[in-house]
Amino acid sequence: MTPTITAFESSPDRGRGLARDMRVRWALEEAAQPYDVRLLSFSDMKQPAHLALHPFGQIPTYEEGDLTLFESGAIVLHIAQHHSGLLPADANPRARAIAWMFAALNTVEPPIVELSLAKLLESKQPWYEQRQPMLQERARNRLAELSAHLGDTDWLDGEFSAGDLLMISVLLRSKAAGTLDDYENLRAYVARGEARPAYKRAFAAQLAVFTASAAR
Ligand code: GTB
């Protein structure tokens, strides 16, 4: 059964692939799975019909038969567990790839999102400038640690996996904010992800949605 995901009908990132439907699209493309997309406005997301699928009224969601999922990480894990190409077959490398998925979402994404949300939403607050050094240091520390771990390897742990897919998705937000500039190996890592045919198909699909919405 073809799954249906939800995405912004007009993404605030203007088609730069930073909204979280992008990682789900990318996983589905890596797994060579077709999918349908239901586009939502901000107002649609807060209506009962969508809140029945997503308790926090957000995108993305994933519907497949009688299964409904929310949380991009859970959706990517579900796709990776049911199709080949995103998780190693052997138990230990598979467990480590899943650990990297959690690391991307729980350890690396929070300081990156904190920093960009502060810029986006708090720049007029009197305490904005005072808080910046702390937020920047937290994000830089995480990036430096990740950079040291990655070294000159292509992927986080052997073959490309859903751990890399989520980590690169998270780092794309840093790249957009200019905070990856000091980490050459992380920039190359992100570029390797962006060069994957599956990434390119997913990116083109979400960009087409934004382009169509901008033309209306
Ligand atoms: N933890 C959840 C997950 O991973 O699925 C978080 C989902 C989430 O934050 N969804 C956002 C949303 O629906 C869209 S992706 N927001 C509406 C709301 O909460 O009311 C986050 C996002 C939005 C915009 C940009 N951007 O413009 O660059 C980047 C990322």
Side-chain angles (χ1 to χ4, degrees):
M1 177 166 294
T2 303
T4 299
I5 67 167
T6 51
F8 284 126
E9 74 177 9
S10 179
S11 180
D13 75 352
R14 306 186 61 78
R16 289 188 299 162
L18 302 176
R20 286 180 174 89
D21 59 297
M22 175 63 200
R23 50 189 72 171
V24 174
R25 291 174 184 271
W26 185 8
L28 286 162
E29 292 288 353
E30 291 285 352
Q33 294 303 304
Y35 61 97
D36 294 323
V37 184
R38 189 165 61 252
L39 301 176
L40 301 174
S41 65
F42 274 95
S43 151
D44 294 335
M45 285 181 218
K46 308 304 170 191
Q47 299 304 314
H50 187 65
L51 287 168
L53 307 179
H54 195 308
F56 309 116
Q58 298 182 314
I59 60 100
T61 55
Y62 176 97
E63 295 155 76
E64 186 183 25
D66 57 8
L67 173 69
T68 299
L69 286 175
F70 62 98
E71 283 298 330
S72 58
I75 298 169
V76 171
L77 180 59
H78 174 79
I79 296 164
Q81 283 174 325
H82 287 84
H83 305 282
S84 60
L86 284 165
L87 285 175
D90 290 345
N92 286 357
R94 192 176 179 93
R96 290 198 302 271
I98 293 171
W100 278 114
M101 296 176 71
F102 279 84
L105 302 180
N106 283 356
T107 305
V108 179
E109 188 162 50
I112 290 174
V113 168
E114 268 296 293
L115 183 60
S116 48
L117 284 185
K119 284 204 176 112
L120 198 69
L121 305 174
E122 299 169 358
S123 62
K124 301 269 185 309
Q125 299 297 332
W127 34 260
Y128 172 75
E129 291 296 345
Q130 228 179 335
R131 205 162 165 255
Q132 271 297 296
M134 177 194 74
L135 293 181
Q136 281 175 14
E137 191 189 350
R138 281 184 191 158
R140 289 180 63 84
N141 284 349
R142 274 296 176 262
L143 293 173
E145 289 159 349
L146 184 66
S147 170
H149 172 86
L150 185 68
D152 59 5
T153 58
D154 278 358
W155 309 114
L156 289 167
D157 188 357
E159 295 295 301
F160 174 83
S161 77
D164 295 295
L165 185 151
L166 288 179
M167 190 64 81
I168 291 167
S169 300
V170 163
L171 294 179
L172 280 163
R173 195 147 175 175
S174 258
K175 180 187 163 194
T179 45
L180 269 197
D181 292 356
D182 293 343
Y183 308 97
E184 197 182 330
N185 66 338
L186 295 184
R187 281 189 281 115
Y189 174 56
V190 169
R192 273 191 292 283
E194 290 174 305
R196 293 178 73 81
Y199 176 91
K200 289 183 181 174
R201 289 193 295 274
F203 185 88
Q206 62 78 39
L207 179 58
V209 171
F210 180 75
T211 306
S213 77
R216 280 198 290 272

